[in-house]
Amino acid sequence: MKIKFASGHVAVRLSVDQMQELVDKGSFSETISLSGSDLRGVITLVDEQIANMQFDANTASIGFVFPRDAVEQELAKPTKNGIGGYFEGGVFSLAIDMHDIRDRAKKNQ
């Protein structure tokens, strides 16, 4: 899992295998080590057409909710921008890491 923070945008990138695990299990989480602390990223799929993001400073975790069908479609046919939602300060998105897609394509040639 890669999480990128920019002004007005939070982007999450998963490998193809991580995205497949998310679709298969309905959730995916990973702890990212930062200088002196850890950040826990959690992605959950729901059967409703909602996307949500929430940061919990008490547990140093950031959670994302995405519609299951949108994530399944993204896995089947990855796009550069992925799928996303809006929060008060901007947008957030989930996509497959395009480097992983290119690396897999090279291996399969």
Side-chain angles (χ1 to χ4, degrees), residues 7 52 55 64 69 77 85 100 103:
S7 180
N52 194 3
F55 177 71
F64 301 90
D69 63 341
K77 195 173 184 179
D100 190 42
D103 290 346

Side-chain angles (χ1 to χ4, degrees), residues 71-87:
V71 174
E72 289 172 344
Q73 289 173 14
E74 186 65 24
L75 177 61
K77 195 173 184 179
T79 62
K80 183 178 178 183
N81 295 327
I83 57 175
Y86 298 94
F87 65 97

Side-chain angles (χ1 to χ4, degrees), residues 15-104:
S15 70
V16 174
D17 292 339
Q18 291 170 332
M19 187 72 93
Q20 184 64 59
E21 182 179 337
L22 173 61
V23 168
D24 292 344
K25 294 182 178 179
S27 66
F28 180 83
S29 64
E30 188 169 277
T31 300
I32 301 167
S33 295
L34 303 171
S35 179
S37 188
D38 291 334
L39 174 67
R40 183 105 178 127
V42 180
I43 305 168
T44 306
L45 302 184
V46 294
D47 292 328
E48 301 150 32
Q49 294 302 310
I50 61 167
N52 194 3
M53 180 187 79
Q54 183 175 12
F55 177 71
D56 183 345
N58 294 321
T59 61
S61 64
I62 186 166
F64 301 90
V65 174
F66 291 100
R68 174 178 294 282
D69 63 341
V71 174
E72 289 172 344
Q73 289 173 14
E74 186 65 24
L75 177 61
K77 195 173 184 179
T79 62
K80 183 178 178 183
N81 295 327
I83 57 175
Y86 298 94
F87 65 97
E88 187 177 310
V91 297
F92 60 95
S93 63
L94 170 69
I96 295 176
D97 188 333
M98 288 298 175
H99 292 96
D100 190 42
I101 292 171
R102 286 190 287 270
D103 290 346
R104 284 176 180 252

